[in-house]
Amino acid sequence: MNPALETLVLALATNEALLPPPRALFLGAHAHPSFHDWPDLTGWQPLKPLADAWDAAGFPRSDEPPSGSWPLVLVLPNKSRDETLAWFALARSRLEPGGTLVFALPNTAGASRFEKELSLATRDLVSLTKHKCRAFHATDDGQWNERVFDQWQSLGTPRNIPESHFITQAGIFSCDHTDPGSQLLADHLPANLRGTVADLGAGWGFLSDTLLRRCPNIQRLDLFEADARALACARLNLASHSREITYHWHDVTTGLPHTYDAIVMNPPFHTGQSTDVNLGCSFLTVAANSLRRGGKLFLVANRQLPYEAALGALGFAWRMAAENPNYKLLFADKR
Ligand SMILES: C[S@@+](CC[C@H](N)C(=O)[O-])C[C@H]1O[C@@H](n2cnc3c(N)ncnc32)[C@H](O)[C@@H]1O
C-alpha cells in the first residue's frame, strides 16, 4: 500500500464535488483499483517501475507531461522541495478555468509545509489527514496568485552542476552537486576498460562521462536509468562524446537485454521515501547475470550497506578497492 496514494483516493471519495470527474490528469501517476471506474484518466510518471505498473493496470499514459488542460489534476509529488513546487506549477498550467488541483504527501515529506506553500498561491484549501499523510485540494476561483506559480515553474527548468557543463533537473538524483560516492568511484576507475560496458542507474551521466573520458577502448557504453528526466539530462551531458552510446529508460531489476565486459554502478537503495537495501542487492544480482565470465564490476556504496555478503553469495571474487569514512568501493570479478 502507498499511504499517500490511499489518502489521495480517500480525499476524492469523500468529496462529492470532485467525483465523478469527466476527464482527469494524474502527475506522478500511481495505479489504484478505484481509478478503473473513471471514464478518462491520463497519467504521467517519469519513474519506469511505476510507469510500468500504470501501463499494466491498463491506464493511458503520456511519456512527457501532456499538453492540454483538465478539470481535475491529481499530483503525488516525490521528496524534493523544488520538484514538488515545480509540480504544483505544472499542475496549475494543465488546469482548466474553475478546475481543481489535488495533492497528497506523507507527513514526513513535509506535507503541512507544502500545504502552507500552496495556500500562498491559492489562499483557500481543503485538507484531510490519514495514514500519516495529508491530501489537500484547491479550486480555481479566478483569484489565484499566478506570480507564485511562475516562480515555482522556474524551479523545474534545467539547471547546472556548478563549475561544470553538466545539466540536471530538480528531483533527479544529486541534481545540485556531484555525488561524493560517485566521485570516489570516478577517482578510482581504471583506464583499461574495454569492449561493451554498462552504467546501471546512470542518473544524469556522471560515471558514464568519466568512463568515456578515461577509457579509449570502450566500444559501446549502455546507460540504464529508471528516471526519464535523469536519462534526458544524461543524453545532453554526453552529447559531445563521439563513441557509441545507448540510452535505456529501464527498470534494472527486471534484468538487462545484453551481456557486458564491465559494469559500473552507484546502486540506489531507496524506493519512494523509504530505504530499500533489497533494491541495491537486486542490482548486484542483475550485474552477476549480465557480466561475461571474467567481466568486472565496479561499485560504490555507503559503508553501512551489506553488499560484501551479496557479492560473495553471487559467486564474485571481490575486494575493497578504497574506502573513506562514508563510502566504500567494491571491485569484483565474475568467475
Ligand atoms: C545513487 S544514484 C546514482 C546515479 C549516477 N550513477 C551517479 O553516480 O550520479 C542511483 C540511480 O539509480 C536510479 N534507479 C533507481 N531505481 C532504479 C531501477 N529500478 N532501475 C534503474 N535505475 C534505477 C535512480 O533514479 C538514480 O539515478
Side-chain angles (χ1 to χ4, degrees), residues 49 173-174 179 182 199-204 206-207 224-227 230 250-253 266-268 279 283:
F173 174 77
S174 200
D179 178 66
S182 298
D199 180 354
L200 306 191
W204 47 259
F206 173 69
L207 291 174
F224 294 90
E225 169 57 47
D227 186 333
H250 186 81
D251 177 357
V252 166
T253 64
N266 177 355
L279 177 59
F283 268 56

Side-chain angles (χ1 to χ4, degrees), residues 128-213:
L128 171 151
T129 51
K130 187 81 181 171
H131 308 305
K132 298 185 178 155
C133 295
R134 187 177 282 254
F136 40 94
H137 69 266
T139 299
D140 175 23
D141 58 3
Q143 303 292 315
W144 286 0
N145 186 338
E146 303 301 341
R147 275 195 312 185
V148 174
F149 284 112
D150 289 346
Q151 283 164 10
W152 293 340
Q153 191 267 339
S154 67
L155 295 173
T157 54
R159 53 178 75 184
N160 264 97
I161 298 289
E163 294 166 32
S164 82
H165 72 285
F166 293 125
I167 292 167
T168 69
Q169 197 187 328
I172 68 174
F173 174 77
S174 200
C175 68
D176 289 319
H177 59 276
T178 303
D179 178 66
S182 298
Q183 185 64 61
L184 182 69
L185 178 53
D187 292 343
H188 288 81
L189 283 173
N192 63 354
L193 297 190
R194 56 177 57 247
T196 53
V197 178
D199 180 354
L200 306 191
W204 47 259
F206 173 69
L207 291 174
S208 289
D209 182 71
T210 304
L211 288 171
L212 292 165
R213 282 177 199 286

Side-chain angles (χ1 to χ4, degrees), residues 260-262 291-297 316 332-335:
Y260 292 95
D261 297 300
L291 280 168
R292 299 190 181 115
R293 192 181 293 264
K296 295 184 180 307
L297 173 64
F316 279 108
D333 293 333
K334 174 152 171 182
R335 287 191 281 224

Side-chain angles (χ1 to χ4, degrees), residues 2 45 89 111 145 213 233 245 265 271:
N2 175 332
Q45 173 52 261
N145 186 338
R213 282 177 199 286
C233 292
I245 307 172
M265 60 172 153
T271 299

